[in-house]
Amino acid sequence: MSVSSIAPRAAVQWRAGNAAQAIERITPREVAVGLSFDGRPHTVLMATPEDLQDLALGFVVTEGVAPASEVMAITLKEEAQGVLVDLAFAPGALARKARPRNLEGRSSCGLCGVQRLADAVRPLPTVGAGARVRHEAIPLALASLEEQQALGRLTRATHAAAFFTPEAELVLVREDVGRHNALDKLAGAMARQGIDAGSGFVVVTSRCSFEMVEKTARMGCPILIAVSAPTDLAIAKAQEAGITLVALARTDGHAVFAGGERLIETQPEPA
């Protein structure tokens, strides 16, 4: 976590039965991040100004714009209004298939500015068989992720997305004020480091809307674990993509909504 990701703010705290008290609260910064492709503006995201190369590359992957291998360079330029991030694609690469947008993408929304219904809910690729995971690995992963959420612990105002091995070993974690941004940052970081998304599972600390399932599918990850509840469309899209969707994940249990065949039941010890 960098200093540029946080900012102290004054507040007045009120508690029943006590006098009002002046406090200082550490808040996560949220800035405008303009994404352009080969110098052509595409969209503006509201995001935490950290790991922006991961965010840009992850956006390209999870939006189905192009595979990570076609991105030749990512450049950042700070402006008074925010940060400009340009992605340069390989000459002769396939035509870009980014969904056209005419508004900024807010941190709470993964589809802001998409103009057509057909662009909002698109067919998903089917993920491969991928890893299998024991039920007991899920609470272990949740506990490990909580320990690694440095920005979240400090501000209590951010989301996290993380990738784990089937044995619940933490591989990578990314944080952002936006749940979609956190997952895009994770996708980009994994692509840059050459991590096979089919070799483990993703955990997100947010609710599970269908866009989170879509991004996970385009990453090629077969298992998505969410702390909060899924929407009906998220479940339907997980079934379409062959994704194992686990939600309402807690240290004492979780609910399986799709793809339960990848979760391994622990056999009781012989008497």
Side-chain angles (χ1 to χ4, degrees):
M1 179 183 63
S2 66
V3 175
S4 64
S5 299
I6 58 175
R9 291 290 182 177
V12 177
Q13 181 171 274
W14 184 91
R15 289 285 187 269
N18 295 310
Q21 180 181 7
I23 65 169
E24 183 177 81
R25 181 81 182 183
I26 300 298
T27 63
R29 291 186 62 220
E30 186 175 21
V31 304
V33 179
L35 293 187
S36 61
F37 301 153
D38 289 324
R40 295 186 296 273
H42 176 64
T43 192
V44 177
L45 305 174
M46 299 305 298
T48 301
E50 187 173 46
D51 301 313
L52 293 184
Q53 289 186 325
D54 292 341
L55 173 62
L57 183 58
F59 181 92
V60 164
V61 170
T62 66
E63 283 285 302
V65 177
S69 59
E70 290 188 3
V71 177
M72 296 294 98
I74 303 174
T75 58
L76 279 68
K77 181 181 180 182
E78 291 192 19
E79 301 281 354
Q81 300 88 352
V83 183
L84 300 178
V85 184
D86 182 68
L87 295 99
F89 291 90
L94 296 177
R96 310 294 155 246
K97 297 180 180 179
R99 290 180 279 204
R101 295 169 183 251
N102 61 4
L103 291 173
E104 78 276 12
R106 296 172 177 85
S107 59
S108 59
C109 175
L111 293 174
C112 293
V114 171
Q115 300 170 29
R116 301 185 303 166
L117 290 177
D119 289 326
V121 184
R122 302 179 297 179
L124 296 183
T126 301
V127 300
R132 298 187 70 206
V133 175
R134 293 189 180 276
H135 283 278
E136 291 80 4
I138 295 174
L140 293 176
L142 292 174
S144 176
L145 177 55
E146 185 173 1
E147 293 177 359
Q148 297 300 317
Q149 289 178 245
L151 186 58
R153 285 198 311 274
L154 190 61
T155 66
R156 297 298 178 189
T158 59
H159 291 292
F163 185 73
F164 291 86
T165 69
E167 293 75 33
E169 297 174 350
L170 179 63
V171 179
L172 277 176
V173 60
R174 291 291 183 269
E175 295 180 274
D176 197 274
V177 290
R179 56 197 173 94
H180 306 93
N181 297 338
L183 187 53
D184 278 346
K185 286 181 177 180
L186 178 67
M190 290 174 62
R192 293 177 70 195
Q193 297 183 34
I195 298 171
D196 177 13
S199 65
F201 60 97
V202 166
V203 177
V204 295
T205 61
S206 62
R207 70 182 177 89
C208 186
S209 55
F210 86 91
E211 315 98 289
M212 304 298 276
V213 172
E214 179 180 49
K215 289 178 181 296
T216 302
R218 295 193 185 281
M219 289 170 63
C221 184
I223 304 174
L224 174 61
I225 315 293
V227 170
S228 291
T231 64
D232 175 72
L233 185 55
I235 298 169
K237 299 302 276 186
Q239 293 169 337
E240 173 190 330
I243 284 178
T244 297
L245 177 58
V246 177
L248 299 169
R250 303 289 186 272
T251 55
D252 61 349
H254 47 265
V256 182
F257 290 90
E261 66 276 3
R262 290 194 185 89
L263 298 175
I264 304 170
E265 299 286 347
T266 302
Q267 299 298 319
E269 294 291 335

